[in-house]
Amino acid sequence: MRNLFALLTAALVSTVVASPTVPRQASNYVGYLVSTFSDANPRIQFHLSNGNNALSFKFLNKGQPVLASTVGTKAARDIFLTTNSARSEWYLLATDLDVTVPGFSWDKATRQGSRGIVVWKSSNLVDWSQSTLRTIEKDTAGMVWAPSAVWDEETSQYYLFWASRHYSASDTKHTGKATLDKIRYTTTKDFTTFSEPRDYLAPSDTPLIDQEFQYLGTPGSFARFYKNETTSQVYQEITSDGLFGTWTRVGLVTSTSGLEGPASYADNVTPGVYHLLLDDYTQYIPYETSDIKSAKWKKSSTSGFPKGLKHGSVTPLTQKEYDALTKAYPA
């Protein structure tokens, strides 16, 4: 049963948070931007679509990262780009995690990892602030991974989501047994101050990470994707009554295991077609569907799709945004 806060929030979110910027597959979207990183160089990379082709991209900035973290571990992974409905402010969010440091282990990363996210801000996708590290989790958290955000127009704030696991308050060094990985959330207007973090998706029998939403074109309608850490598979659910409403499991994106970091985006040209990128631990593999509510996904052609892209996000672009990125960061 949902708690009172979730019930109250559902009434709000079900009608308004589902309305990003402008409707998906609108005629004023002329291309796509992939915000990502590489294992060898965990900094922000931009890949711009060749025209309005959803599966063909060029590496901007002459094949070099456009931004580097100067805070925390000084590494940026799991990149997510978000904006408000006016597209007047942009935020790049990233996991603060360096897997190349001497003595690195995933166990240590989940016990004494960063409790913050790396944040950059821009008004135009070109001129970016310095990186900042924003703590969003409690002391009991062992890490914060894979931030993503959804803008809520009515309250002029973002719902920020991430994955974490927690330890007993008495286990201050996090040496004991933790909770399973779960999806948490907070709200923020500026990615500087945040509400009290809360559980969003926390089943008692399944560890979950890497959640992302896909708006489905009508208020309250979303798909969401997340990784089951036990099976290393990505599941899909759908709802018609908002982020905090009732969700229905529609199945696996694919029966293949060893996949994570879902990045979903609607096709700008063909109504009803959606794309999903899944990271196989080395690079993204593209999938597509024309029946997203049934989770009937198939592998896409990779003839124009770049190699080596990692857990990131895909953003539809207006002509002004596309041209600004082309000029500022030539391929």
Side-chain angles (χ1 to χ4, degrees):
M1 180 179 293
R2 289 175 288 163
N3 61 32
L4 179 59
F5 178 84
L7 287 167
L8 293 174
T9 308
L12 166 67
V13 177
S14 63
T15 57
V16 296
V17 77
S19 300
T21 330
V22 293
R24 298 294 188 188
Q25 299 164 174
S27 60
N28 64 333
Y29 286 150
V30 302
Y32 312 82
L33 175 68
V34 179
S35 306
T36 186
F37 74 102
S38 71
D39 281 326
N41 193 358
R43 301 177 178 181
I44 305 292
Q45 299 178 8
F46 281 167
H47 295 256
L48 186 66
S49 63
N50 291 302
N52 220 354
N53 189 327
L55 294 170
S56 178
F57 293 85
K58 52 195 172 188
F59 196 160
L60 293 186
N61 204 34
K62 301 186 184 302
Q64 296 298 315
V66 297
L67 294 167
S69 173
T70 59
V71 295
T73 66
K74 298 184 180 180
R77 301 173 65 88
D78 313 334
I79 315 303
F80 191 87
L81 176 62
T82 190
T83 187
N84 59 11
S85 58
R87 299 174 89 86
S88 61
E89 62 182 25
W90 298 85
Y91 293 94
L92 276 164
L93 316 175
T95 300
D96 176 36
L97 176 65
D98 187 354
V99 304
T100 67
V101 295
F104 174 83
S105 74
W106 286 107
D107 180 68
K108 183 178 180 180
T110 58
R111 293 178 182 274
Q112 287 90 37
S114 177
R115 293 186 294 109
I117 58 172
V118 187
V119 180
W120 292 263
K121 183 179 181 179
S122 174
S123 61
N124 56 14
L125 286 175
V126 170
D127 302 302
W128 291 91
S129 69
Q130 293 294 312
S131 57
T132 57
L133 184 63
R134 304 297 187 188
T135 299
I136 58 175
E137 260 293 11
K138 297 180 178 180
D139 293 344
T140 54
M143 83 292 191
V144 168
W145 286 357
S148 66
V150 177
W151 171 255
D152 178 357
E153 177 65 22
E154 184 169 291
T155 59
S156 298
Q157 65 182 354
Y158 297 88
Y159 282 83
L160 172 63
F161 300 87
W162 66 91
S164 188
R165 65 177 61 170
H166 286 254
Y167 296 81
S168 168
S170 61
D171 183 8
T172 57
K173 294 185 178 180
H174 300 174
T175 58
K177 185 176 181 179
T179 65
L180 296 179
D181 298 329
K182 54 187 176 180
I183 307 300
R184 303 264 284 169
Y185 79 101
T186 184
T187 59
T188 182
K189 292 180 179 291
D190 54 12
F191 290 94
T192 300
T193 59
F194 304 88
S195 66
E196 184 80 3
R198 297 173 181 266
D199 286 353
Y200 176 70
L201 189 58
S204 61
D205 59 351
T206 308
L208 304 178
I209 64 170
D210 293 359
Q211 177 189 251
E212 182 166 326
F213 295 100
Q214 173 64 60
Y215 176 57
L216 299 182
T218 57
S221 294
F222 289 89
R224 71 180 175 194
F225 307 91
Y226 51 79
K227 179 191 178 187
N228 178 328
E229 276 280 73
T230 299
T231 63
S232 293
Q233 294 173 307
V234 175
Y235 284 83
Q236 179 188 333
E237 297 182 346
I238 59 172
T239 187
S240 60
D241 59 351
L243 299 183
F244 293 82
T246 300
W247 290 84
T248 301
R249 172 78 62 85
V250 291
L252 291 167
V253 172
T254 171
S255 60
T256 302
S257 62
L259 298 171
E260 62 182 8
S264 179
Y265 56 109
D267 195 283
N268 291 339
V269 177
T270 306
V273 172
Y274 292 87
H275 303 274
L276 182 67
L277 309 181
L278 296 180
D279 188 336
D280 70 355
Y281 303 151
T282 63
Q283 62 185 349
Y284 262 141
I285 300 171
Y287 292 79
E288 62 186 86
T289 185
S290 57
D291 186 10
I292 193 170
K293 292 185 178 180
S294 298
K296 295 179 179 178
W297 296 91
K298 63 179 181 179
K299 283 188 177 181
S300 303
S301 169
T302 57
S303 60
F305 195 78
K307 296 181 178 180
L309 303 193
K310 296 286 294 177
H311 186 166
S313 62
V314 185
T315 305
L317 299 172
T318 64
Q319 189 70 62
K320 180 180 179 180
E321 294 157 357
Y322 189 99
D323 292 345
L325 286 163
T326 301
K327 181 179 179 180
Y329 306 113

